[in-house]
Amino acid sequence: MARTTGSDGEKTEAAVREAAVSLIARLGYEAMSMRQLAAEVGVQAAALYRYFPTKQDLLFMLMREHMEGLIEAWRATRPVGADPAARLAAYVENHIAFHIERRHSTHVSNMELRSLSHEKLTQILRMRTAYEKELRAILRDGVEAGLFSIEDTGLTAMALIQMMTGVIVWFRPGERLSIAEVTATYLAMTMRLVGAKSDGATTSHGAVRPFERATDAAAL
Amino acid sequence: MARTTGSDGEKTEAAVREAAVSLIARLGYEAMSMRQLAAEVGVQAAALYRYFPTKQDLLFMLMREHMEGLIEAWRATRPVGADPAARLAAYVENHIAFHIERRHSTHVSNMELRSLSHEKLTQILRMRTAYEKELRAILRDGVEAGLFSIEDTGLTAMALIQMMTGVIVWFRPGERLSIAEVTATYLAMTMRLVGAKSDGATTSHGAVRPFERATDAAAL
DNA sequence: GAATTAATTGAACGTTTGTTTTATTATCCG
DNA sequence: CGGATAATAAAACAAACGTTCAATTAATTC
């Protein structure tokens, strides 16, 4: 009735995070009880409080790590000197690969923002804005270089992000389409949406060559 | 300590629905308590149960009415005999107008699906699928007529709906852009995204004439 | 104006909630 | 082997939850 044989703080902590992401994604933050989470980990509810001070801190921790992972994945992938079309392609591929691979934590980070305190919400939104800013910069550069025809850079960036992130709503791995096919199609749609001129990486009818990286794109 | 002067069932019921949509959109279904909802209406919690049997039935009622409204708005607007490009334009305009106008109930219908029982969830998803099917039919007709160039009709329909519905995440009435401007830009992006040939209602650079209906589009 | 119906209150029900406290045991270090 | 520390269980807390019930009053009907 106390410390159990084989118990290990690090393993428990990892199990808690994994279970929390899965449960919150499935039930929602408010609907998931601490006892439910504890049962999923195979532990009593009181034991959870070794790893975070409150339930909301757990949520914030999960969200912050998700955003940090997203920004880091982009930082490691982005082609710095390339032309806007190649940079846009890299952004789309990274975004889709990351979000498909982390469907659950994406769900959490997108749906549970309202459960954060004002202060914690601000921190998460700051990270999100920084990430979206990268896309706006690419679009702006593309317009200035005469490669894209866009009415409103900010609006287009939001539309693209909503479109791409929406993949997690309907995509299920192992069904009709592979990740590579989905990524290639979204890339083609993106290029047409921004009015990319058909040259360089794009084929004659406006579709874009798949860049042969979609399957292993998110090996962070 | 009983019936209050001036009390009226119909007015209370309407006030309950309005307050519920607003509160659930802001706090989430699980986070909103019946006492909170009652206080917003100016009534005791017990009085709510005159108008629906359980909290979940209230949620279901709000979602069903939202979906019925969406389908009815499209039914009343759709141009039956027109060509695919005009039908697609009508779909986009109706969708955006409806969702901007009903931001709160859209939020509820999109975010709180997991709080429904399996049976009620199925009913809502059936309505949603029927609505999305209309878009897929338009895209398919456009492809067959040689007007659109699309890789995957189903995937493109989902991408478009996610993109358009996403408007409610960032759009706030009375800020930088008007509803008409947003709608026009989304229409242009949609037409490029589906690879619409530049003829008929579309201008030379792929943008689409606004159809002069965006502002009064959602007078249901 | 009496009888009936509609609308609501206030109190109470048993559960469940997030969290704290205290005690207990496994593991690690010397 | 013994003391320190890490990790947990078990029990308890007040507060809040959705919902029910009986009592009470306003509005309506005849």
Side-chain angles (χ1 to χ4, degrees), chain A:
Chain A
M1 313 149 180
R3 179 164 189 172
T4 54
T5 70
S7 62
D8 176 349
E10 282 192 34
K11 285 181 183 173
T12 304
E13 179 159 13
V16 167
R17 287 173 197 236
E18 193 180 346
V21 168
S22 166
L23 277 178
I24 296 177
R26 202 160 70 242
L27 311 173
Y29 168 77
E30 294 281 353
M32 178 201 73
S33 77
M34 299 302 270
R35 286 168 180 82
Q36 229 172 334
L37 173 57
E40 189 84 3
V41 178
V43 106
Q44 288 295 318
L48 299 173
Y49 288 84
R50 283 225 135 235
Y51 306 102
F52 44 84
T54 70
K55 188 186 181 187
Q56 197 198 143
D57 283 300
L58 165 63
L59 176 63
F60 177 66
M61 182 176 76
L62 298 175
M63 286 186 171
R64 200 194 47 219
E65 286 169 2
H66 175 85
M67 291 307 302
E68 285 171 351
L70 176 59
I71 290 170
E72 172 56 24
W74 169 240
R75 198 200 55 75
T77 304
R78 62 178 173 188
V80 281
D83 71 298
R87 284 160 61 205
L88 179 57
Y91 194 94
V92 170
E93 288 170 347
N94 181 251
H95 188 93
I96 292 179
F98 186 88
H99 283 81
I100 283 186
E101 194 159 320
R102 307 213 195 176
R103 277 181 51 222
H104 285 172
S105 66
T106 299
H107 236 88
V108 172
S109 290
N110 284 346
M111 309 258 293
E112 307 296 349
L113 286 167
R114 62 186 161 201
S115 295
L116 293 178
S117 67
H118 179 70
E119 174 193 342
K120 294 197 181 71
L121 174 63
T122 304
Q123 279 192 59
I124 298 295
L125 290 184
R126 213 195 316 271
M127 301 174 83
R128 178 190 276 212
T129 303
Y131 174 71
E132 293 170 354
K133 198 178 170 184
E134 300 272 311
L135 177 56
R136 279 200 297 275
I138 294 173
L139 296 182
R140 203 183 321 112
D141 290 351
V143 169
E144 285 175 5
L147 293 169
F148 304 156
S149 33
I150 292 173
E151 295 89 15
D152 187 307
T153 307
L155 190 150
T156 303
M158 296 310 293
L160 281 176
I161 284 177
Q162 295 292 339
M163 179 183 89
M164 293 187 292
T165 307
V167 138
I168 66 164
V169 174
W170 57 267
F171 181 78
R172 294 292 176 280
E175 285 194 356
R176 185 168 63 92
L177 297 167
S178 70
I179 296 184
E181 290 171 320
V182 170
T183 305
T185 306
Y186 269 78
L187 192 47
M189 292 192 295
T190 298
M191 290 303 178
R192 286 201 300 266
L193 173 37
V194 301
K197 300 292 171 290
S198 298
D199 63 81
T202 62
T203 67
S204 60
H205 59 288
V208 175
R209 286 195 224 108
F211 277 62
E212 282 89 33
R213 99 175 256 284
T215 46
D216 65 326
L220 328 167

Side-chain angles (χ1 to χ4, degrees), chain B residues 21-56:
Chain B
V21 167
S22 166
L23 277 179
I24 296 176
R26 202 161 69 243
L27 312 173
Y29 168 76
E30 295 281 353
M32 178 201 73
S33 76
M34 298 301 271
R35 287 169 179 84
Q36 229 173 333
L37 172 58
E40 189 85 4
V41 179
V43 105
Q44 288 295 317
L48 299 174
Y49 288 84
R50 283 225 134 236
Y51 305 102
F52 45 84
T54 71
K55 189 186 180 187
Q56 197 198 142

Side-chain angles (χ1 to χ4, degrees), chain B residues 72-84:
Chain B
E72 172 57 24
W74 169 240
R75 198 201 56 74
T77 305
R78 62 178 171 188
V80 282
D83 71 299

Side-chain angles (χ1 to χ4, degrees), chain B residues 83-85 87-88 129-130 132-157 160 194:
Chain B
D83 71 299
R87 285 159 61 206
L88 178 57
T129 303
E132 293 170 354
K133 198 177 170 185
E134 300 273 311
L135 177 56
R136 278 200 297 276
I138 294 173
L139 296 182
R140 202 182 322 111
D141 290 352
V143 169
E144 285 176 7
L147 293 169
F148 304 157
S149 33
I150 292 173
E151 296 88 15
D152 187 306
T153 308
L155 189 150
T156 303
L160 280 177
V194 301

